Amino acid sequence: MTTNIAVLVSGRGSNLQSVIDNIESGYIRDARIAVVISDVGDAYALERARKHGITDVYIDPSDYASKQEYEKEMMEVLKDNDTDLIILAGYMRLIGKELIVTYSNRIINIHPALLPSFKGLHAQQQAFDYGVKVSGCTVHFVDEGMDTGPIILQRCVPVLDTDTTDDLAARILIEEHRILPEAVKLFVEGKLKVEGRIVVHIN
Ligand code: GAR
């Protein structure tokens, strides 16, 4: 059976691209991106979706009276596209309770730091400013907290003395583009089991 994926984005969409490429190459099998949804009208991610013939939808949060109303509209789009898995790929909003409950353990997020360190925005800058000697990225299931859900995969990278924040962010991004497709593949193949806050990888 094909897993229908919805990807939520707010910007550039390089992580979206990594999933598209890994589906097209056959690394991720039996899955398709059914829809890409953005909360930003001119997000380049939408352009990437169109280039690959993927349905793209812009939902402007300011058109809705509340976050709940906005997400209700999003849920309609998710339902219309028979969504099995939601990927947050650079989606810069917190997900509301109803969406999380409806898609429990079926929403995954990529975060550019080794959680639980450096949650929230500008994680690479936070790590850089703190002076850590390693940082990295995390793919996790989304729960009601901010960047607190069960961890699926992490990868670390060194922080070099000569680095700027941009150097570090670029090094982390390379790993993001590896672990996000890897996590999606594990999910699609039914190899992830969530036990409390621990994600067990089934062989
Ligand atoms: C990525 O680095 C992703 O990890 C980060 O935003 C960037 C989006 O890039 N996400 C967060 O910070 C979420 N808190 P992309 O649009 O090129 O995939």
Side-chain angles (χ1 to χ4, degrees):
M1 222 181 71
T2 302
T3 300
N4 286 317
I5 301 172
V7 185
L8 272 52
V9 294
S10 299
R12 171 180 65 175
S14 70
N15 278 290
L16 163 68
Q17 190 69 53
S18 76
V19 178
I20 293 173
D21 292 346
N22 280 283
I23 289 175
E24 289 186 352
S25 76
Y27 173 72
I28 301 168
R29 290 172 187 274
D30 302 323
R32 60 187 277 271
I33 300 179
V35 63
V36 171
I37 304 173
S38 176
D39 63 335
V40 174
D42 61 357
Y44 184 62
L46 291 172
E47 184 68 33
R48 292 185 196 261
R50 286 193 287 272
K51 277 187 188 162
H52 290 265
I54 298 166
T55 304
D56 66 294
V57 178
Y58 164 46
I59 308 177
D60 182 353
S62 68
D63 285 346
Y64 300 87
S66 65
K67 182 189 176 87
Q68 225 175 352
E69 290 296 309
Y70 160 69
E71 287 195 348
K72 210 168 133 192
E73 175 61 26
M74 187 179 283
M75 299 253 274
E76 286 298 315
V77 176
L78 294 170
K79 219 170 92 190
D80 288 349
N81 286 281
D82 296 325
T83 302
D84 302 303
L85 169 67
I86 301 171
I87 301 173
L88 310 185
Y91 181 69
M92 294 304 182
R93 284 172 193 272
L94 280 180
I95 301 289
K97 184 171 180 167
E98 208 179 321
L99 197 51
I100 287 171
V101 169
T102 307
Y103 291 92
S104 170
N105 291 337
R106 292 193 291 150
I107 308 176
I108 67 177
N109 179 46
I110 175 85
H111 183 75
L114 293 174
L115 292 172
S117 292
F118 312 121
K119 301 182 175 97
L121 294 176
H122 312 300
Q124 305 95 326
Q125 183 76 52
Q126 291 183 53
F128 186 81
D129 291 345
Y130 198 88
V132 293
K133 300 302 183 198
V134 291
S135 190
C137 48
T138 304
V139 182
H140 64 93
F141 284 111
V142 174
D143 65 9
E144 283 177 46
M146 185 182 62
D147 299 326
T148 54
I151 291 170
I152 300 169
L153 288 173
Q154 292 186 300
R155 200 67 41 87
C156 55
V157 303
V159 183
L160 306 180
D161 289 345
T162 51
D163 275 351
T164 62
T165 312
D166 286 348
D167 294 332
L168 177 60
R171 196 174 301 122
I172 292 171
L173 193 64
I174 291 169
E175 298 304 327
E176 293 186 44
H177 295 164
R178 293 182 175 140
I179 64 168
L180 181 59
E182 208 175 315
V184 172
K185 181 181 165 75
L186 289 168
F187 180 95
V188 169
E189 293 177 354
K191 290 186 174 163
L192 299 175
K193 195 167 139 209
V194 184
E195 295 177 352
R197 67 154 300 108
I198 306 299
V199 178
V200 179
H201 293 209
I202 305 161
N203 282 319

